[in-house]
Amino acid sequence: MKWQGLNELREKYLSFFESKNHTRLPSFSLIPQGDKSLLLINSGMAPLKKYFLGQAVPPNVRVTTCQKCIRTPDIERVGQTARHGTYFEMLGNFSFGDYFKKQAIEWAWEFFTKELEMPVDKLYVSVFENDDEAYDLWTKHMGVAPSHMKRLGREDNFWEHGSGPCGPCSEIYFDRGEEKGCGKPTCGVGCDCDRYVEVWNLVFSQFNSDGNGHYTEMEHKNIDTGMGLERLACIMQGVDNLFEVDTVQNIMKHVCKIANVAYHTDDKTDVALRVITDHIRSTTFMIGDGVMPSNAGRGYVLRRLLRRAARYGRLIGIEKPFLYEVCDTVIAENRVAYPELEEKKSYIRKIVQVEEETFAKTVDNGMAMLNQILDQIDQKEISGEDAFKLSDTYGFPIDLTMEIAAEQGVSVDREGFDALVKAQREKSQADHLAKAGSSWAGNSIRIAGEKTVFTGYEHLTETDAKIIAIYKKQDAVDVAVEGDTVVIVLDKTPFYAESGGQVGDCGTISTASCTATVSSTSKNEDGHYLHIATVEDGDLHVGDVVTAAVAEEVRRATMRNHTAAHLLQAALREVLGDHVHQAGQLVTPQSCRFDFSHFSAMTKEEIQKVEQLVNEKILAAIPVVTESLPIAEARKRGAMALFGEKYGDVVRVVSVSDFSVEFCGGTHVDNTAKLGLFRIVSENSVASGVRRIEAVTGTGVLRLLDAAQLEMQQAAQALKLGNVSELAERCTSVMAELKEKDRALESLNQKISDAQIEAAFNNVNEVKGVKVISAMLNGVNPQMLRKMGDRIKAMDEPYIAVLAGVQDGKGSLLCACSKAAIAHGAHAGQIVQRVAAYTGGKGGGKAEQAMAGVGQTYMIDEALMAAENIIRNLISEG
């Protein structure tokens, strides 16, 4: 058995099963597609469930994959041991009703003993205790010695997950030698020590379980095998754990170089190196598959891993952002199997770098707060309220709070924290539901038979078609009459169904005696197009031959905006950088809304450059070419794909010369000139690291210009100008006049406020040796109050001023204390907080000066009357 690299082993396995007539499928995205039961793909079988359950037809009854996986239930243990990791690759070969135990066992043994030349005397096999068939196949057919066989119970060797397909397992173990064992006489297969390592699990799905302990034999039996690639590499490379496997070790070496430390020299350093190495592998692949850092779902998993890695970097002396640099090594070590990582390199680096920089600010503020909490708590527990404040106000993750607290022997009231999070979430959901409407799109409808044939690429407007189903309120009906709103399903249609951000088409479905207006079009998972329509006159029947006609001008406007979205993405990447990727879009007849990854607001100059670049491509009248290509060829051409999207072997590619090349199933114009003009209407933020541009084309630009012209005319009329061309000059003149009047008004207000404050100084009371001024000042804004406060703070004598200002019906409170007053125990923040409470207002601040809002202005007098007593109590407390 010779040393082999991880990348070599992956290719050897997949090629071996290709030689056994298996179809090699690329790894599915880590983001589950059509499976809401999973946050992230966590096994090789997970993306293939639809084939095992008969929900979809596989490309072949024999399939082999190497699947990227993420598992995070034991994240706190990652680093603490050399066994645990969050990212791994799972090798698998699968049979969907084709071969069964005999071939699965034969090929597994052949791969290990012939392809990898593993010593037979080092291999051991376990089977389910009642599976005599598998036992005999291993011993009598393959010649495995009974002494190398072990029967194990249901807990170890029977795969079952609720109701559905299940069956016995057979596992292959590698004996790493007596020196790795525990020394017990009972040491053998199934022992918890490090000697016998389970490498490959063969699952024989032969039963159907009802979930209540009843099993029936399946007519079509399946094979599902799983073997961890990293674990196999450990065996072939003779190393103890995944962190010493070649590709993983190279990542760790990069971290060591940055930190100027070495592995296996210090336990705490080793923990940090393992955490960083594992987590940067996971995050690089997650971002590569389209996961963005956020505070919920898989985005939170990503953020948690990145922040945990960044913190451990600090523990070994790395103060600057560094993880984005290590991404380079992760990508380099995996580019052969996952070339898309190289394509998205700049994007991945940028996401990681921005998240690191953000966390650096968060961790400084959060750590200061956490240390303060740890210093003040009497018991060995951080309250749920404090943990929630750290998370909600400072962005400090609860997991990090718990981990740091545990290091100091302190627990966290997780139940209290979770209750506060739940309450916040329920309030948010209630607010959302209160604002949300409801609609019936009918996309839950399931129809037997062939999927709808889409003719809309070739036939823009009309197609003769046959009605194969009509649904009214989710129920199948035979006829739709005048006034009915129904879902109509046709055997073929020119209507584009909403997908990829492009809205569904509208138009009409008609016969000689009936017309139905289609308001929108969607499609279900089975590929049937669902036309949401209202019957205007006559009747429609299942089986009727109809004319399906798309609203031509509406579709053409949508096509212009969709092509514009492609040009916009290409222009953004040229102006801002390759980190720009589509994060969502909405293409309608009215506009193009494009969300993209970027980490700061675009400057006016950048927006102008993007807009100019798109318009240059429009005016150049470049043909827009649409082709169906093998996916490998499309990738060679540099076609951009959506993150996390699963594509077939043949893909549709839309190209505008070499400026824009994208995978796309939408509808487009055939020449950029047909866009007319392109105009960006707005650019803003929609989420952390995601910006949004809204733009218009064609007649949309004309409408925008008409609206702007009308506004200018109305403004000119309001300023009594005869010509719009005079508007800019007149606006400048008006602004200058207003500024002069503002200065005069401010000067007058200052004189008034000075007079009021002088009057207040004539009414000074003394409380325990401190002079107290309280006054209600009309026409005074918060800025003027602060200026008055500055005067009080500068006084040498002990002075406290509590001043209320009211302007335009809104009230503000200020308290200012001189240094001499503070020496007597005065604190402006505490005083103003208590005074404001009388009005129902809130506020606070520093000892020398603080402000508060006024709740009810009619309570100001009562609040000021209470100020003297509040000060008396506070000074006595001090």
Side-chain angles (χ1 to χ4, degrees):
M1 166 171 108
K2 65 177 182 178
W3 189 98
Q4 294 182 56
L6 182 138
N7 287 317
E8 184 183 357
L9 287 168
R10 183 196 298 110
E11 180 57 34
K12 185 163 280 192
Y13 178 89
L14 295 172
S15 296
F16 175 81
F17 279 100
E18 278 186 310
S19 74
K20 307 298 182 186
N21 299 318
H22 288 63
T23 295
R24 180 197 299 211
L25 296 181
S27 175
F28 291 78
S29 169
L30 284 166
I31 301 176
Q33 304 297 308
D35 185 354
K36 295 181 180 179
S37 67
L38 290 175
L39 200 62
L40 292 158
I41 293 298
N42 59 7
S43 69
M45 187 274 287
L48 305 175
K49 277 197 298 188
K50 57 189 176 183
Y51 301 140
F52 283 110
L53 297 174
Q55 297 170 344
V57 178
N60 186 359
V61 291
R62 299 179 181 184
V63 162
T64 185
T65 64
C66 181
Q67 177 61 45
K68 298 172 289 188
C69 302
I70 297 281
R71 288 184 189 168
T72 57
D74 295 326
I75 187 172
E76 290 82 7
R77 299 187 67 187
V78 173
Q80 302 300 327
T81 74
R83 289 184 176 185
H84 289 83
T86 57
Y87 174 81
F88 60 97
E89 295 180 59
M90 187 62 75
L91 300 166
N93 57 284
F94 308 91
S95 167
F96 308 109
D98 186 43
Y99 64 85
F100 199 48
K101 290 182 186 179
K102 181 174 179 292
Q103 291 93 331
I105 288 171
E106 285 176 349
W107 292 333
W109 196 248
E110 180 185 348
F111 182 71
F112 269 0
T113 60
K114 299 293 194 296
E115 287 291 315
L116 300 185
E117 299 178 352
M118 285 186 180
V120 172
D121 64 334
K122 291 287 187 181
L123 297 175
Y124 287 75
V125 179
S126 70
V127 295
F128 180 52
E129 57 190 357
N130 298 330
D131 193 354
D132 294 334
E133 180 186 5
Y135 187 90
D136 289 344
L137 281 167
W138 281 114
T139 55
K140 297 176 181 178
H141 182 61
M142 302 309 302
V144 176
S147 61
H148 280 234
M149 296 293 299
K150 182 75 175 280
R151 291 181 185 264
L152 294 173
R154 177 176 293 272
E155 185 177 338
D156 295 296
N157 276 66
F158 194 92
W159 187 89
E160 183 175 14
H161 188 72
S163 60
C166 60
C169 309
S170 183
E171 296 173 332
I172 307 175
Y173 294 76
F174 186 86
D175 179 7
R176 299 176 67 227
E178 190 174 346
E179 67 278 6
K180 300 291 185 182
C182 56
K184 297 176 183 177
T186 56
C187 185
V189 168
C191 185
D192 288 336
C193 72
D194 292 334
R195 178 173 177 177
Y196 297 93
V197 179
E198 176 210 328
V199 188
W200 202 346
N201 186 15
L202 315 179
V203 179
F204 310 127
S205 298
Q206 63 187 93
F207 301 112
N208 231 323
S209 169
D210 65 359
N212 296 309
H214 301 103
Y215 302 92
T216 55
E217 194 87 15
M218 292 172 65
E219 183 179 351
H220 300 291
K221 299 175 176 61
N222 303 317
I223 288 293
D224 161 21
T225 85
M227 173 163 54
L229 176 58
E230 291 85 352
R231 187 171 291 189
L232 176 62
C234 286
I235 300 299
M236 298 304 297
Q237 296 178 16
V239 296
D240 288 341
N241 58 73
L242 74 93
F243 294 101
E244 295 177 358
V245 168
D246 60 333
T247 58
V248 184
Q249 181 60 205
N250 288 337
I251 297 166
M252 184 181 284
K253 286 177 180 176
H254 191 164
V255 181
C256 289
K257 183 179 179 182
I258 293 172
N260 194 27
V261 298
Y263 193 43
H264 289 323
T265 56
D266 175 80
D267 287 344
K268 288 187 177 180
T269 299
D270 288 355
V271 168
L273 289 171
R274 288 192 289 263
V275 168
I276 296 166
T277 301
D278 170 79
H279 289 4
I280 195 59
R281 287 181 82 214
S282 296
T283 54
T284 298
F285 278 96
M286 288 170 72
I287 296 169
D289 277 352
V291 181
M292 284 283 288
S294 70
N295 289 327
R298 61 182 68 94
Y300 177 70
V301 174
L302 172 62
R303 174 163 283 168
R304 182 182 176 192
L305 292 172
L306 274 172
R307 292 186 168 187
R308 192 167 187 260
R311 176 177 176 260
Y312 273 93
R314 287 185 167 221
L315 293 180
I316 55 174
I318 309 175
E319 295 295 332
K320 63 172 187 175
F322 72 101
L323 293 170
Y324 73 97
E325 296 177 16
V326 187
C327 288
D328 293 351
T329 304
V330 179
I331 292 168
E333 294 297 325
N334 292 278
R335 63 161 61 96
V336 173
Y338 305 106
E340 64 273 14
L341 291 176
E342 186 68 42
E343 297 167 13
K344 299 166 184 172
K345 183 175 178 178
S346 62
Y347 170 78
I348 294 169
R349 281 174 56 99
K350 192 69 175 178
I351 293 285
V352 173
Q353 183 178 4
V354 169
E355 188 66 16
E356 282 188 277
E357 290 169 349
T358 302
F359 181 60
K361 300 171 187 173
T362 297
V363 78
D364 289 339
N365 295 333
M367 279 301 297
M369 176 71 178
L370 178 56
N371 288 332
Q372 185 180 345
I373 292 169
L374 289 169
D375 289 341
Q376 293 175 352
I377 59 174
D378 298 325
Q379 300 175 339
K380 290 291 184 179
E381 182 179 70
I382 295 175
S383 69
E385 290 82 0
D386 282 339
F388 180 75
K389 184 178 180 181
L390 275 166
S391 172
D392 192 50
T393 305
Y394 295 93
F396 206 72
I398 179 62
D399 313 282
L400 200 51
T401 299
M402 293 176 71
E403 197 167 322
I404 294 170
E407 290 170 3
Q408 299 192 30
V410 176
S411 63
V412 177
D413 177 12
R414 184 61 192 259
E415 288 187 8
F417 172 83
D418 289 341
L420 290 167
V421 171
K422 182 181 179 184
Q424 185 188 57
R425 186 181 299 122
E426 287 174 350
K427 182 180 184 302
S428 175
Q429 289 173 344
D431 291 343
H432 175 74
L433 290 172
K435 297 173 184 175
S438 62
S439 62
W440 174 51
N443 57 11
S444 61
I445 291 171
R446 294 291 176 268
I447 304 156
E450 294 293 322
K451 64 183 180 181
T452 306
V453 176
F454 177 59
T455 64
Y457 294 139
E458 302 83 17
H459 305 284
L460 175 60
T461 54
E462 289 190 9
T463 296
D464 288 336
K466 181 180 178 181
I467 297 177
I468 62 171
I470 300 174
Y471 285 83
K472 185 176 180 181
K473 295 182 179 179
Q474 303 289 330
D475 296 323
V477 296
D478 293 326
V479 61
V481 300
E482 184 176 332
D484 283 350
T485 296
V486 293
V487 171
I488 300 172
V489 184
L490 306 176
D491 63 342
K492 56 184 176 179
T493 182
F495 286 78
Y496 183 83
E498 180 178 351
S499 65
Q502 179 177 329
V503 297
D505 279 333
C506 59
T508 60
I509 293 174
S510 61
T511 64
S513 58
C514 176
T515 300
T517 301
V518 177
S519 58
S520 63
T521 309
S522 61
K523 63 180 173 181
N524 63 16
E525 292 179 4
D526 302 323
H528 290 102
Y529 283 52
L530 312 175
H531 307 80
I532 293 85
T534 300
V535 180
E536 305 294 345
D537 56 69
D539 303 338
L540 284 177
H541 300 79
V542 173
D544 281 353
V545 174
V546 298
T547 299
V550 174
E552 184 173 354
E553 285 309 310
V554 176
R555 162 77 86 80
R556 290 190 186 281
T558 304
M559 290 161 63
R560 287 194 292 269
N561 287 328
H562 200 157
T563 304
H566 284 220
L567 295 175
L568 173 59
Q569 176 165 219
L572 285 166
R573 286 172 64 83
E574 187 164 315
V575 172
L576 301 179
D578 290 344
H579 64 275
V580 168
H581 281 81
Q582 179 181 329
Q585 72 173 11
L586 177 62
V587 177
T588 71
Q590 292 76 34
S591 66
C592 152
R593 191 181 79 192
F594 188 78
D595 296 347
F596 59 100
S597 52
H598 191 53
F599 307 94
S600 60
M602 291 178 66
T603 65
K604 188 181 296 184
E605 291 73 23
E606 287 170 339
I607 292 172
Q608 288 175 344
K609 282 181 183 177
V610 167
E611 191 173 78
Q612 180 182 349
L613 190 52
V614 173
N615 280 311
E616 283 176 3
K617 301 303 176 184
I618 291 170
L619 296 174
I622 304 169
V624 179
V625 179
T626 303
E627 303 170 273
S628 291
L629 299 172
I631 191 165
E633 184 178 342
R635 291 193 184 280
K636 283 181 183 177
R637 289 196 190 181
M640 290 191 65
L642 281 176
F643 281 121
E645 191 74 21
K646 184 65 181 174
Y647 296 97
D649 294 332
V650 177
V651 293
R652 192 164 179 268
V653 177
V654 178
S655 307
V656 181
S657 66
D658 59 356
F659 179 68
S660 169
V661 186
E662 290 191 37
F663 292 24
C664 185
T667 59
H668 292 267
V669 298
D670 58 13
N671 192 290
T672 59
K674 292 186 177 180
L675 271 62
L677 281 175
F678 172 84
R679 182 75 173 176
I680 293 175
V681 179
S682 65
E683 189 274 348
N684 52 56
S685 171
V686 289
S688 176
V690 179
R691 309 293 300 178
R692 171 174 293 171
I693 279 179
E694 300 233 13
V696 291
T697 62
T699 54
V701 176
L702 294 178
R703 286 192 295 271
L704 190 68
L705 292 173
D706 288 344
Q709 182 70 21
L710 179 60
E711 287 179 4
M712 287 191 292
Q713 288 172 349
Q714 291 171 339
Q717 289 173 2
L719 292 170
K720 296 182 170 55
L721 297 175
N723 197 320
V724 172
S725 62
E726 302 170 15
L727 186 59
E729 184 180 347
R730 180 58 181 143
C731 284
T732 302
S733 173
V734 169
M735 288 304 298
E737 292 171 11
L738 289 174
K739 282 182 180 179
E740 185 57 39
K741 288 179 180 178
D742 284 343
R743 280 193 289 270
L745 184 60
E746 186 177 348
S747 175
L748 179 60
N749 285 336
Q750 189 63 52
K751 290 177 182 178
I752 294 170
S753 64
D754 288 344
Q756 292 185 74
I757 196 69
E758 290 300 330
F761 269 104
N762 294 327
N763 188 24
V764 175
N765 293 323
E766 190 168 310
V767 177
K768 294 189 175 181
V770 176
K771 295 177 180 179
V772 177
I773 300 170
S774 62
M776 166 82 163
L777 309 174
N778 290 311
V780 173
N781 60 32
Q783 185 178 357
M784 294 164 70
L785 283 177
R786 290 189 191 97
K787 288 183 178 179
M788 295 175 188
D790 292 340
R791 180 176 171 183
I792 301 295
K793 287 191 298 180
M795 289 185 168
D796 294 329
E797 297 179 76
Y799 264 97
I800 300 174
V802 180
L803 306 175
V806 178
Q807 189 177 54
D808 299 328
K810 295 181 180 180
S812 302
L813 282 165
L814 174 134
C815 179
C817 304
S818 67
K819 288 182 179 180
I822 293 172
H824 279 71
H827 191 288
Q830 295 176 17
I831 295 169
V832 82
Q833 184 182 45
R834 298 178 192 183
V835 173
Y838 277 81
T839 73
K842 294 180 180 179
K846 297 180 179 179
E848 64 270 19
Q849 184 167 305
M851 294 200 70
V854 171
Q856 305 294 337
T857 53
Y858 65 84
M859 292 294 292
I860 290 177
D861 287 339
E862 185 174 339
L864 292 176
M865 288 174 63
E868 205 170 288
N869 198 42
I870 289 169
I871 291 168
R872 181 178 290 107
N873 291 336
L874 183 65
I875 292 177
S876 65
E877 291 167 8

